Amino acid sequence: YTLSYEPKSTSLENFWTNQQKTAKAGQLSNLTDAFWRSLWQWIAPVFVLIGIIGTIKVEDEEFIVNEEFQEGAIQLADALDLDEQESGRLLFIAQEYSEALDRPSVTSAIIEFHERRQFLLECLRLLLKNATDPDCEEHLREVQLELVCEILEVKDGPVRNGSLYVRKCLGAMADIEKWLQALGDRQQGTLILGHVSTPDYEEIIKFQQQSLGQQHESLGALISHIVKGGFTGAEDFHRLLDYLPTIEKWNYAAVHYVPVIIAFASQYGSSENGGDAHEASLLNKKILEAKDVTPWNLRNLQAATTSWWLAEYSGWSPEFFQGLSTRQPNADSEAQTCSEAFLQAVREGAFHCTLSICCQIRPDEWYHPARTGLIQYLLRDTLMLPPETMNVSSYFQLLVMEQFESFVEAFITNMPDTLRQFQVDEDDQRKKILGGFQPGSRNSLWDQDLHLERFLVIISFAFNNRIDAAQSFWADTDSNLYGFLQWASKRQSTPRVGAFCEMLISISQGEDCASAAHNFLLDDGNSASMKFRRSSSISWAQIISELNLYTSKIRETPTSTRPAFRYGANANSDDIDEPESPLMLE
């Protein structure tokens, strides 16, 4: 490519210099030098005209390229789906990185292309995050907010320009998904045909998949911040709901839509964020009817989306429901409809999906047998994300947990009756199992519904290592969150104790939260009896009582006369060794 990278004005000089390197010293005279210079100036335009050589323009300078360069540009254009002139410019620029990367020019150009895209997206993401972050210093936030308005073209232009920008971002996410699919098909095709891929080819394919995944992730976070900043409209949520049913694979690309969905639900489903009542009712109708009208390919994500939406939508005042002539005739009927739809979504895997996202995008740094065992118990037979090599960035983990925090607070605040219904249904189901009567095929504790337990563990993930967020449980003893703690600590079944302890651990980090949790567990009443394994509320006395009971039982010498407990027969509560007992004790 020696000839290809020089300006037209100096191409002849460099051409002649290369000729001199292969000629004997003193072989060519100054007259011959002038002749070749003059000849090249005449024939170069002819070669360009008839297509023997080509030209590219880089930063207002035109360069002559040879056939080898043209083949590389065509190869790069096919790999990146670019115009050949653009791919030629990119290939030219990548020449300076080729030596540093120790890769061929085409490979270096692909790396440079993706790195520049990712760098641009990260700059935009950080800018939007700080512009919408109330904790950012005010003068910095104002400057960055002004830049955001310039980028979105909403400062001097119409507000709908923000929506147009979001649509471009959503379109870019869809394009990346198609690109990832094409790369996967290319790899699969190579295997089917029995071709042996070179290490360089495998390396660049893997790099593109990882880079595209990061770009997809950045776009998801970018849209979330734009929605949070109020630069979008309800029609953008409608467009997203029209696209989500078409997603076919449950993978990390699908998870990148999770913070976007919850951000839209919080912005346009909640009355606290200035949402419009009529638009909220239209969105609610669309989401609830989608199950029968346009079912999604990913039914687990559809169920989770329904639960995230209803947690926000249920916060509207009764006057809002009474004003909707097209819906139920009164507020009680509307609230009942929302509650039933939420319960149905949970039965279809809403909490399974949410919890699986939590534990897979934010794995523990250290192995915790107790937590791992509890999660495996709660997520048995759940569709999990594939073990892909794509890593989830720390900022995206935090963003998802912040959105799940919003969901948790909305659900506790807006749907307390539905929460109580979970407890009533599960306690009744457990009594029937332990009492020896359970209709249908359910004949084991392993088959019972554990929706409330899953919700408690979701809380543990959402607030883990987030001390400032956990303060919201302890800051006000009259708050809904503190009231939820008191309610959830009472009348607990064995698996619920384990899930509650996991939640309590996550919101007890930091000196202030730990002190508040300690006071919460102090029991001023009489210690619980060793004979009765359930007290009215979990406390230090109850925890120590449980440990003493089980340590004494494991020290007992087994006797042949002691009958083994069989589910299906009535037995004394002291003789019941429940399958969840080890999880609770851990």
Side-chain angles (χ1 to χ4, degrees), residues 164-276:
L164 296 176
Y165 199 90
V166 167
R167 294 173 196 177
K168 291 179 182 179
C169 292
L170 289 172
M173 293 182 73
D175 291 340
I176 289 176
E177 291 159 28
K178 295 176 183 176
W179 198 339
L180 288 169
Q181 181 64 41
L183 291 174
D185 292 343
R186 188 180 302 177
Q187 282 184 307
Q188 190 67 24
T190 302
L191 294 174
I192 293 175
L193 295 175
H195 296 167
V196 179
S197 301
T198 63
D200 291 342
Y201 174 81
E202 291 292 337
E203 180 188 41
I204 198 61
I205 290 293
K206 183 177 180 181
F207 170 80
Q208 287 192 87
Q209 290 174 330
Q210 291 179 339
S211 182
L212 288 170
Q214 292 171 354
Q215 294 168 39
H216 197 271
E217 180 183 72
S218 296
L219 284 166
L222 192 66
I223 298 173
S224 301
H225 294 312
I226 295 176
V227 174
K228 182 180 178 181
F231 298 108
T232 59
E235 66 276 7
D236 299 315
F237 196 14
H238 281 280
R239 288 178 178 270
L240 177 62
L241 292 174
D242 291 336
Y243 175 73
L244 291 174
T246 65
I247 300 177
E248 297 180 353
K249 293 184 178 180
W250 179 237
N251 52 24
Y252 283 94
V255 173
H256 294 160
Y257 287 99
V258 169
V260 181
I261 296 171
I262 301 179
F264 269 122
S266 179
Q267 187 70 23
Y268 299 106
S270 173
S271 59
E272 297 180 358
N273 293 323
D276 179 78

Side-chain angles (χ1 to χ4, degrees), residues 71-231:
E71 290 177 356
I74 293 173
Q75 182 182 353
L76 184 62
D78 292 339
L80 301 179
D81 193 23
L82 296 175
D83 176 80
E84 291 181 7
Q85 280 289 327
E86 178 63 22
S87 66
R89 187 193 66 81
L90 185 62
L91 186 60
F92 181 90
I93 296 174
Q95 174 69 12
E96 60 179 296
Y97 304 105
S98 182
E99 185 176 351
L101 294 174
D102 192 23
R103 297 291 187 276
S105 297
V106 173
T107 302
S108 300
I110 293 175
I111 295 173
E112 170 66 10
F113 173 80
H114 286 295
E115 290 291 341
R116 287 173 67 90
R117 280 166 55 108
Q118 180 61 20
F119 180 75
L120 173 63
L121 288 172
E122 280 299 284
C123 289
L124 289 172
R125 181 189 66 81
L126 290 171
L127 189 63
L128 276 159
K129 177 183 180 298
N130 293 330
T132 57
D133 185 4
D135 296 330
C136 183
E137 295 184 21
E138 185 175 356
H139 68 283
L140 293 176
R141 187 171 68 250
E142 290 177 353
V143 171
Q144 294 180 84
L145 183 59
E146 186 175 353
L147 288 173
V148 168
C149 292
E150 291 283 357
I151 294 172
L152 301 183
E153 298 181 354
V154 297
K155 184 177 182 180
D156 299 321
V159 179
R160 65 184 301 271
N161 284 345
S163 294
L164 296 176
Y165 199 90
V166 167
R167 294 173 196 177
K168 291 179 182 179
C169 292
L170 289 172
M173 293 182 73
D175 291 340
I176 289 176
E177 291 159 28
K178 295 176 183 176
W179 198 339
L180 288 169
Q181 181 64 41
L183 291 174
D185 292 343
R186 188 180 302 177
Q187 282 184 307
Q188 190 67 24
T190 302
L191 294 174
I192 293 175
L193 295 175
H195 296 167
V196 179
S197 301
T198 63
D200 291 342
Y201 174 81
E202 291 292 337
E203 180 188 41
I204 198 61
I205 290 293
K206 183 177 180 181
F207 170 80
Q208 287 192 87
Q209 290 174 330
Q210 291 179 339
S211 182
L212 288 170
Q214 292 171 354
Q215 294 168 39
H216 197 271
E217 180 183 72
S218 296
L219 284 166
L222 192 66
I223 298 173
S224 301
H225 294 312
I226 295 176
V227 174
K228 182 180 178 181
F231 298 108

Side-chain angles (χ1 to χ4, degrees), residues 16 76 105 134 155 161 171 174 202 212 225 237 265 277 292 370 381 386 422 437 445 447 458 469 533 552 559-560:
W16 184 242
L76 184 62
S105 297
K155 184 177 182 180
N161 284 345
E202 291 292 337
L212 288 170
H225 294 312
F237 196 14
D292 301 319
D381 301 327
F422 282 147
F437 170 77
L445 286 174
D447 295 326
I458 289 170
R533 295 166 46 191
S552 63
T559 60
S560 58

Side-chain angles (χ1 to χ4, degrees), residues 513-546:
C513 292
S515 178
H518 171 68
N519 294 329
F520 180 81
L521 291 173
L522 288 177
D523 185 12
D524 296 329
N526 295 326
S527 299
S529 172
M530 291 285 289
K531 182 177 180 180
F532 298 101
R533 295 166 46 191
R534 303 288 186 270
S535 66
S536 60
S537 179
I538 190 170
S539 61
W540 285 124
Q542 172 68 12
I543 293 172
I544 295 172
S545 174
E546 293 279 359

